[in-house]
Amino acid sequence: MRAPNEPSGPTTGRRITGSVAGLAAVAGLATAAWAARNVPAAIGGRLAGARAERAARSPQFRDGTFHNRADTRTMVPASDRNLFRELLFGKQKRRPGAPVPLLRPSAETGIDPARELNVVWYGHASALIEIEGRRVLLDPVWSDRCSPSTAVGPRRLHQPPVRLDELPRLDAILISHDHYDHLDMGTVRELTARQSAPFLVPLGVGAHLDRWGVPAERIIELDWSQTHRVAELEISCTAAQHFSGRGLRRNGTLWSSWVVAGRQRRVYYTGDSGYFGGYAEIGAAHGPFDVTLMQIGAYDRAWPGIHMFPEEAVAAHLDLRGGLFLPVHWGTFNLALHDWSEPVDRLWAEAKARDVRLAVPRPGERVVVDDPPPVDGWWQAIA
């Protein structure tokens, strides 16, 4: 017999199930809270004090925000498309079909340091410039996601080919703008601890670094057309056509491209940018360039003014009076609606049509600018 106060079997089962569900819900909330704990810090800082006063004096700043030289729309409406539906159900193959081949940079060449110029592409926009014995790191992002959260947001399609603690001693770290795929809190904090190099950033971006613990003496903020000398290199902040923002506020910090000039060698990096007349101006003022690192991916006709199509990147390279073309901003994160391999396929065709010297390294491969590897279509085997 059942004791007088003993609950029936089904009732006991329901209570146990309810308890388990409750515990699962609590665990889920705890997990979500843990994943979100660093989101406010990752969003970064805001313009304030002397930094805000300096921004207000910039020719690019008016009505409380930074602006492109030309009136530029971030998004262009398209009545014939539903971007959200295309994102979820589009037929594009936005990921590689096999692992992306990674290389570890080969031993440094024995070339005369006065003539040295190599580039190591680590994936997306992260790259190392080895120039005349100096080392300059571009837009380093080593985290698993380009997002303020560790749980959601675009995830890497391949791992970094080297760890941050394996990087050589750096002379400068350049940031083009504050979007998450170019400026990453975790990476910045680790580089702050492991390296002593200064961070060169466009106006306002120093507010993020300041919040993340980068010492003030290691933050150098520049406006377009300003130059700072680091370790016998002249590093110039140059114009770009893009936008900025890490939270709900847009354009509270400036965006830029960069020129890295030694005594004999010159490098240009686009950052993120649409095609605009500024490339010819930069080429006239700072070129010719031995190599240009050009954004070729994450484009769409819905945002034509802020990211270049591959054919436009080739035109920009020629405007800049570039020598070797090295593509970046493709292959690592799924940030647009085109096929994973489409940017570099289109680039290769356009470069051949316009007789542009091209190198398409695997992530981690060192490119000696004066003797680049032939383009072998390695990405097509995994597309």
Side-chain angles (χ1 to χ4, degrees):
M1 287 183 62
R2 191 173 65 242
N5 294 325
E6 186 181 44
S8 63
T11 301
T12 302
R14 285 195 297 271
R15 287 180 179 175
I16 292 173
T17 301
S19 298
V20 171
L23 288 172
V26 170
L29 288 173
T31 301
W34 177 259
R37 71 194 187 283
N38 286 327
V39 168
I43 289 173
R46 291 179 65 99
L47 284 177
R51 183 172 281 117
E53 293 172 4
R54 185 182 176 201
R57 295 193 294 269
S58 168
Q60 282 61 250
F61 194 87
R62 61 182 182 275
D63 301 324
T65 60
F66 287 96
H67 294 261
N68 289 306
R69 290 179 177 173
D71 186 21
T72 306
R73 302 179 69 176
T74 303
M75 294 287 288
V76 177
S79 59
D80 62 332
R81 298 176 73 189
N82 182 316
L83 290 176
F84 183 71
R85 183 183 298 120
E86 192 172 343
L87 178 65
L88 293 179
F89 305 112
K91 302 301 182 183
Q92 302 95 338
K93 189 177 180 183
R94 298 196 290 266
R95 296 173 179 274
V100 175
L102 306 180
L103 297 181
R104 297 187 62 80
S106 59
E108 295 187 30
T109 60
I111 193 172
D112 176 5
R115 292 291 303 168
E116 179 195 36
L117 184 55
N118 314 314
V119 177
V120 181
W121 178 58
Y122 296 119
H124 198 59
S126 302
L128 180 70
I129 299 170
E130 301 173 333
I131 177 171
E132 298 178 7
R134 305 301 181 179
R135 304 293 178 263
V136 179
L137 186 63
L138 305 179
D139 282 352
V141 174
W142 257 250
S143 290
D144 192 46
R145 297 183 187 273
C146 55
S147 166
S149 168
T150 58
V152 297
R155 195 168 192 173
R156 302 185 71 94
L157 301 176
H158 66 82
Q159 291 302 306
V162 300
R163 301 188 310 269
L164 283 173
D165 64 356
E166 296 178 301
L167 291 177
R169 187 186 68 82
L170 302 173
D171 294 284
I173 302 165
L174 308 187
I175 306 296
S176 64
H177 63 297
D178 72 1
H179 286 158
Y180 293 101
D181 58 321
H182 295 257
L183 178 64
D184 174 63
M185 179 180 71
T187 304
V188 167
R189 284 178 166 173
E190 189 165 348
L191 287 172
T192 301
R194 293 185 176 279
Q195 299 276 351
S196 60
F199 291 82
L200 278 67
V201 301
L203 288 179
V205 175
H208 303 314
L209 305 187
D210 183 65
R211 181 169 186 180
W212 301 337
V214 179
E217 63 271 17
R218 289 181 62 184
I219 302 173
I220 299 166
E221 293 183 80
L222 300 177
D223 201 351
W224 293 349
S225 301
Q226 291 183 334
T227 296
H228 185 81
R229 193 167 185 84
V230 177
E232 300 181 348
L233 299 174
E234 287 192 349
I235 300 178
S236 300
C237 180
T238 45
Q241 184 169 284
H242 199 55
F243 70 108
S244 67
R246 294 176 73 84
L248 298 177
R249 185 169 184 251
R250 284 280 184 92
N251 300 336
T253 64
L254 187 59
W255 47 95
S256 73
S257 57
W258 290 99
V259 171
V260 179
R263 293 175 182 268
Q264 301 185 60
R265 314 309 301 259
R266 289 179 174 268
V267 180
Y268 176 78
Y269 167 51
T270 57
D272 279 3
S273 179
Y275 180 76
F276 74 126
Y279 290 122
E281 296 174 9
I282 294 167
H286 297 278
F289 295 101
D290 297 286
V291 60
T292 66
L293 284 75
M294 307 293 291
Q295 169 257 308
I296 67 161
Y299 51 79
D300 194 280
R301 59 188 175 93
W303 50 87
I306 58 168
H307 276 183
M308 287 185 287
F309 293 89
E311 295 80 6
E312 291 177 317
V314 172
H317 170 84
L318 294 171
D319 289 346
L320 289 158
R321 299 194 292 159
L324 182 68
F325 185 122
L326 196 150
V328 298
H329 208 273
W330 78 281
T332 304
F333 295 108
N334 177 10
L335 301 176
L337 301 175
H338 52 65
D339 287 347
W340 175 78
S341 63
E342 181 186 299
V344 72
D345 283 334
R346 290 174 59 169
L347 169 66
W348 196 10
E350 186 71 5
K352 287 186 286 189
R354 304 194 68 172
D355 197 25
V356 166
R357 292 175 62 231
L358 178 65
V360 184
R362 296 155 177 80
E365 184 175 4
R366 173 178 282 109
V367 173
V368 178
V369 170
D370 291 336
D371 186 23
V375 181
D376 61 5
W378 63 264
W379 62 91
Q380 295 176 340
I382 62 171

